[in-house]
Amino acid sequence: MKKGLYIVATPIGNLGDISPRAIETLKQVDVIACEDTRISKKLLSLLGVGLNKEFITLHDHNEEVHAEELIKKIQEENKSVALISDAGSPLISDPGYKLIRRCRQENIYITVLPGCCALICALQLAGLPTNKFMFCGFIPNKDKGRAEAFEEIKKLKATTVFYETASRILKTLEVVKKIFGDREIAVAREISKIYEECLNGTAAGLIAHFEEHTPKGEMVLMISPAPEEEKTGIDLEEELRQRLQNKSVKTAVKELSEETGISKKEVYQIALRIKDEE
Ligand code: SAM
């Protein structure tokens, strides 16, 4: 086997989702770079890959140092290294980017063995536009961070995709409700596992669902693209925000409804949301 670095995707749930080429590569390499040796050894055993090879961990706290160690193994000891993560595609919300960067600087042979990636599977399941999407990684853990992350993408005309955990999803959906109102969103969970499901609706609808059915498992949250601006050319929300600074809700709603032809009810709902945010 050629010395170098092999980026190998592993399953995100169903063991059968790894490719024969990936299994063969994992069998042949000398060294496995992984996040957690216990998780990886268990996976490799299930896949029938012998454990008589070297394991080196790679995570946020040691990536720089261990990357150098791996480079030395490839360059000086002529070894082949497979980079895997606990699940799915390495480097996608997982370690590896610094290692790849360093290997490229050193002109080390690098190849990728494609496979599962939760964000792609979630997009495939959700039925939201996929022609343009943006992956934003994990949602910040604090309400302020969450709100900032969502405000940033609010006007994006692309589907946005976030990784989330079951324990945080309800808090996140509350913030989504405040910021996106009735925008269509989707949550895909437990992809490729027994209880795989993808739920589409508004944030309020999904909150109601998860209040009845305790959220469980691994999740991907998707938010549909910002709607096209009204034909009037006015950015309704921005215009309302400005007028509400020195006018009553009633006056601002009446004026904008008359000027744009958009129903008072619709404008009023946006005004209420703005007031609520304040
Ligand atoms: N590298 C992985 C990939 O290729 O998707 C992602 C690793 S990231 C640390 C873990 C997050 O991915 C989970 O918190 C969840 O948001 C998402 N995820 C992983 N497996 C999943 C699954 N089977 N169903 C839904 N989401 C999943």
Side-chain angles (χ1 to χ4, degrees):
M1 166 177 238
K2 192 167 169 177
K3 72 169 182 178
L5 182 67
Y6 296 76
I7 306 166
V8 182
T10 55
I12 56 169
N14 190 319
L15 261 195
D17 291 337
I18 189 163
S19 73
R21 183 160 82 98
I23 297 180
E24 199 44 43
T25 302
L26 292 171
K27 282 182 180 165
Q28 284 183 25
V29 289
D30 307 300
V31 183
I32 304 268
C34 60
E35 291 179 85
D36 182 328
T37 47
R38 278 167 311 172
I39 293 180
S40 295
K41 282 182 179 174
K42 194 170 159 199
L43 173 73
L44 296 180
S45 298
L46 290 168
L47 293 171
V49 175
L51 303 180
N52 53 337
K53 40 186 94 230
E54 200 176 340
F55 286 79
I56 294 183
T57 60
L58 203 68
H59 42 71
D60 288 348
H61 308 296
N62 69 14
E63 187 167 351
E64 277 168 42
V65 176
H66 284 198
E68 295 311 318
E69 200 180 320
L70 289 162
I71 285 171
K72 214 167 138 194
K73 295 215 173 279
I74 298 168
Q75 286 181 324
E76 294 174 21
E77 299 173 30
N78 280 330
K79 297 235 162 116
S80 51
V81 175
L83 170 66
I84 60 173
S85 53
D86 285 351
S89 292
L91 292 112
I92 309 301
S93 287
D94 272 335
Y97 131 83
K98 288 178 188 155
L99 171 65
I100 305 300
R101 226 179 140 67
R102 281 289 296 122
C103 286
R104 293 183 64 87
Q105 284 166 354
E106 297 291 328
N107 277 326
I108 286 173
Y109 170 76
I110 306 175
T111 189
V112 62
L113 286 85
C116 295
C117 182
L119 80 101
I120 299 297
C121 299
L123 275 168
Q124 288 166 324
L125 283 172
L128 297 181
T130 50
N131 55 332
K132 221 183 191 189
F133 65 85
M134 182 170 166
F135 174 56
C136 304
F138 276 100
I139 298 169
N141 197 5
K142 301 248 160 65
D143 272 355
K144 187 165 175 277
R146 283 186 179 104
E148 282 169 4
F150 291 139
E151 284 291 354
E152 218 172 87
I153 52 107
K154 191 172 175 187
K155 291 188 177 169
L156 203 68
K157 303 243 182 309
T159 298
T160 41
V161 188
F162 297 88
Y163 283 161
E164 188 49 298
T165 61
S167 59
R168 298 184 196 166
I169 188 75
L170 271 168
K171 277 191 173 176
T172 292
L173 288 174
E174 286 296 344
V175 182
V176 172
K177 186 171 101 180
K178 261 194 192 160
I179 293 176
F180 295 95
D182 286 342
R183 181 99 61 97
E184 184 181 359
I185 65 166
V187 172
R189 58 170 213 99
E190 294 289 84
I191 297 167
S192 78
K193 303 182 193 175
I194 297 173
Y195 296 107
E196 171 184 298
E197 66 177 355
C198 183
L199 305 156
N200 288 54
T202 60
L206 293 198
I207 290 169
H209 172 86
F210 285 123
E211 278 172 350
E212 272 208 17
H213 308 88
T214 310
K216 283 186 193 147
E218 306 206 80
M219 303 189 163
V220 182
L221 168 70
M222 291 154 283
I223 298 173
S224 60
E228 290 303 322
E229 268 151 40
E230 303 296 335
K231 289 185 191 75
T232 56
I234 289 179
D235 181 338
L236 189 60
E237 186 168 331
E238 192 48 44
E239 194 62 35
L240 251 181
R241 272 186 205 282
Q242 281 183 16
R243 295 193 193 193
L244 286 172
Q245 284 174 7
N246 48 25
K247 288 180 180 161
S248 69
V249 171
K250 196 176 163 194
T251 310
V253 168
K254 183 169 179 286
E255 279 180 7
L256 269 172
S257 171
E258 284 170 4
E259 284 170 34
T260 60
I262 300 167
S263 76
K264 267 192 194 164
K265 193 178 162 204
E266 202 175 322
V267 183
Y268 186 64
Q269 271 175 352
I270 300 171
L272 283 188
R273 182 158 49 80
I274 294 171
K275 283 281 169 201
D276 195 34
E277 277 170 26
E278 288 168 1

